[in-house]
Amino acid sequence: PWQRMGNFKYLVMAPVVVHGAYRVMNKGWGDIDLAYSLILPSLALRMIHNQIWISLSRYQTARSKHRIVDRDIEFEQVDRERGWDDQIVFNGLLFYVGYLAMPSVRRFPLWRTDGAVATALLHAGPVEFLYYWFHRALHHHFLYSRYHSHHHASIVTEPITSVIHPFGEHIVYFTLFAIPMLSTVYMGNGSALVFVLYIVYIDFMNNMGHCNFELVPKWMFQVFPPLKYLMYTPSFHSLHHTQFRTNYSLFMPFYDYIYSTMDKASDELYESSLKGTEETPDLVHLTHMTNLQSAYHLRVGFASIASKPSDNSEWYMWTLWPLAWLSMVVAWIYGSSAFVVERIKLKKMKMQTWVVPRYNFQVTNSPGHLCVYLMVASCLTIFFLPAVWSNMG
């Protein structure tokens, strides 16, 4: 509903801030209970959590040999998925409305073990079951063409693909995930930390399942074999995005086993993705960062910044200076070895972008670093030039 607001969409959370400021000015900080104090920080935590997954996934997809779908991401997908934080804002509004509607949450303790157990059981039971059948219904041509096809337009998935849905689907998903939370509220064993951890679990599993590389180690299933029924893998869900009619489960695949909708290639794809295939590029674009803030223009950084010219800074860039300095320190510790940040296929030619973790002022002020940079560039040119000429021929 706030799509036209652009980056001003966060203003829809203004009532939460105004309400909190009013309570503090009238009755002091003691009037702010635990549940209310966690609304905005939990939203910030979710955004940071998702951004970490975005950067990790793009970095690993560029360099890892464990890629699942060996295709590039289309520009249309990048544009379509830029609003990944919309659902976080939407959830924040609903949590605020729920806080106002249910006075009992204002007396929430920090933790209750019985509430945590009830939340886990209610998720494994009603939530997973209802999601499975709702998901299958979404693949009926009537609902698929009107709703779910928007999500499945992304064949090569990224973590944020998990939350790219039409608004109507978001309402249903929030209703499903609210079942354990509302149940513990009415049973009287709800707690603030259980709510937060449950949302973190949902985000973690959503992001992990939509990575385009396999990261779940095999030893986990060897140590505890039933885990294969309780936790999906990125390759398991990737088959759903390529085959469409299999692997419907949310996070726990046992309903696909029960109703015989598990893709027969699931185990094979998991094994092959874990084993991986080494790739030798035909062409390497060697580059380095210019100023401190240029790190954010890498594809593994923030899409809202990386999609714009480096000399067109956003108004909030000054707030990122501490992170910029930290990235320079990390780069200094990491050393001068280039790392892969992007991988592109141009017809039959495989190209990678390698970044030397050095900035303009480090290269120009240090003859030694400049010599290393030139030597690396020369070696790469000598090594890859024959391959490039053969592809052009």
Side-chain angles (χ1 to χ4, degrees):
W2 47 78
Q3 185 175 6
R4 295 182 181 180
M5 296 176 66
N7 287 334
F8 292 101
K9 62 188 175 186
Y10 305 109
L11 290 177
V12 301
M13 295 301 297
V16 184
V17 179
V18 172
H19 184 193
Y22 175 80
R23 292 173 64 177
V24 170
M25 287 188 296
N26 281 271
K27 297 182 180 180
W29 286 100
D31 189 53
I32 303 297
D33 52 85
L34 180 61
Y36 189 88
S37 65
L38 287 175
I39 294 177
L40 291 179
S42 64
L43 299 187
L45 175 65
R46 293 185 67 189
M47 290 187 180
I48 294 171
H49 183 195
N50 279 275
Q51 182 59 52
I52 291 172
W53 273 105
I54 294 168
S55 298
L56 174 66
S57 175
R58 290 178 177 174
Y59 175 63
Q60 289 293 335
T61 302
R63 63 176 289 276
S64 175
K65 67 176 184 178
H66 304 293
R67 283 184 299 274
I68 301 169
V69 179
D70 192 18
R71 287 175 55 180
D72 296 323
I73 293 176
E74 302 291 339
F75 290 116
E76 292 81 1
Q77 177 177 342
V78 177
D79 292 337
R80 185 174 61 252
E81 296 181 349
R82 282 186 63 178
W84 58 267
D85 54 347
D86 284 341
Q87 59 93 25
I88 297 179
V89 176
F90 176 56
N91 291 174
L93 279 176
L94 292 177
F95 279 125
Y96 176 60
V97 172
Y99 172 85
L100 297 177
M102 294 178 290
S104 60
V105 302
R106 303 174 190 181
R107 300 185 296 273
F108 262 9
L110 180 63
W111 173 262
R112 284 196 58 164
T113 303
D114 55 347
V117 173
T119 299
L121 294 176
L122 287 167
H123 175 86
V127 175
E128 289 280 345
F129 177 79
L130 293 173
Y131 177 90
Y132 174 85
W133 286 106
F134 176 66
H135 195 179
R136 287 192 65 169
L138 284 174
H139 279 259
H140 184 276
H141 64 85
F142 179 84
L143 293 177
Y144 185 85
S145 60
R146 289 166 173 79
Y147 293 95
H148 204 50
S149 59
H150 181 74
H151 176 69
H152 273 275
S154 301
I155 303 297
V156 183
T157 58
E158 287 196 297
I160 50 177
T161 305
S162 62
V163 294
I164 304 303
H165 300 281
F167 187 63
E169 283 190 45
H170 277 297
I171 295 174
V172 177
Y173 295 144
F174 184 86
T175 304
L176 288 175
F177 294 138
I179 291 174
M181 294 184 283
L182 291 176
S183 298
T184 56
V185 170
Y186 289 115
M187 288 189 296
N189 57 5
S191 61
L193 191 55
V194 170
F195 271 39
V196 173
L197 291 179
Y198 182 53
I199 297 300
V200 169
Y201 165 76
I202 292 170
D203 285 345
F204 179 88
M205 295 300 290
N206 258 333
N207 286 321
M208 183 198 72
H210 287 81
C211 286
N212 189 35
F213 65 96
E214 189 53 73
L215 74 162
V216 181
K218 192 174 181 179
W219 63 262
M220 292 179 62
F221 300 107
Q222 294 172 336
V223 171
F224 186 61
L227 187 63
K228 67 181 294 184
Y229 304 106
L230 302 175
M231 186 182 80
Y232 72 168
T233 64
S235 56
F236 181 92
H237 191 69
S238 178
L239 281 170
H240 176 71
H241 277 261
T242 55
Q243 304 302 318
F244 299 103
R245 296 291 182 179
T246 57
N247 297 4
Y248 292 103
S249 292
L250 178 56
F251 306 140
M252 301 178 174
F254 59 82
Y255 284 113
D256 280 306
Y257 283 93
I258 292 174
Y259 296 110
S260 302
T261 52
M262 190 197 75
D263 197 294
K264 295 179 180 179
S266 297
D267 293 337
E268 181 183 350
L269 181 62
Y270 172 72
E271 296 283 351
S272 62
S273 299
L274 269 185
K275 184 179 179 181
T277 304
E278 294 289 351
E279 178 182 276
T280 301
D282 301 311
L283 179 66
V284 167
H285 172 218
L286 185 67
T287 185
H288 67 85
M289 291 165 283
T290 53
N291 55 35
L292 285 176
Q293 293 182 345
S294 64
Y296 301 116
H297 288 269
L298 296 174
R299 187 176 177 273
V300 297
F302 302 106
S304 58
I305 301 175
S307 61
K308 296 181 180 179
S310 59
D311 58 352
N312 183 17
S313 297
E314 296 283 357
W315 62 269
Y316 53 82
M317 288 294 288
W318 65 271
T319 63
L320 299 175
W321 270 105
L323 282 176
W325 281 100
L326 179 62
S327 68
M328 184 187 71
V329 173
V330 171
W332 177 77
I333 296 173
Y334 184 81
S336 58
S337 301
F339 58 93
V340 183
V341 295
E342 192 169 29
R343 171 181 171 271
I344 300 174
K345 272 189 174 182
L346 302 173
K347 293 186 177 180
K348 294 183 179 181
M349 185 179 293
K350 300 173 183 177
M351 188 182 84
Q352 292 181 354
T353 300
W354 294 6
V355 173
V356 178
R358 289 293 180 267
Y359 299 86
N360 263 1
F361 60 86
Q362 291 175 303
V363 174
T364 56
N365 295 338
S366 173
H369 286 147
L370 181 59
C371 289
V372 171
Y373 185 80
L374 292 174
M375 287 175 61
V376 172
S378 301
C379 291
L380 287 172
T381 303
I382 294 171
F383 181 77
F384 288 109
L385 191 59
V388 175
W389 278 110
S390 65
N391 274 283
M392 290 177 65

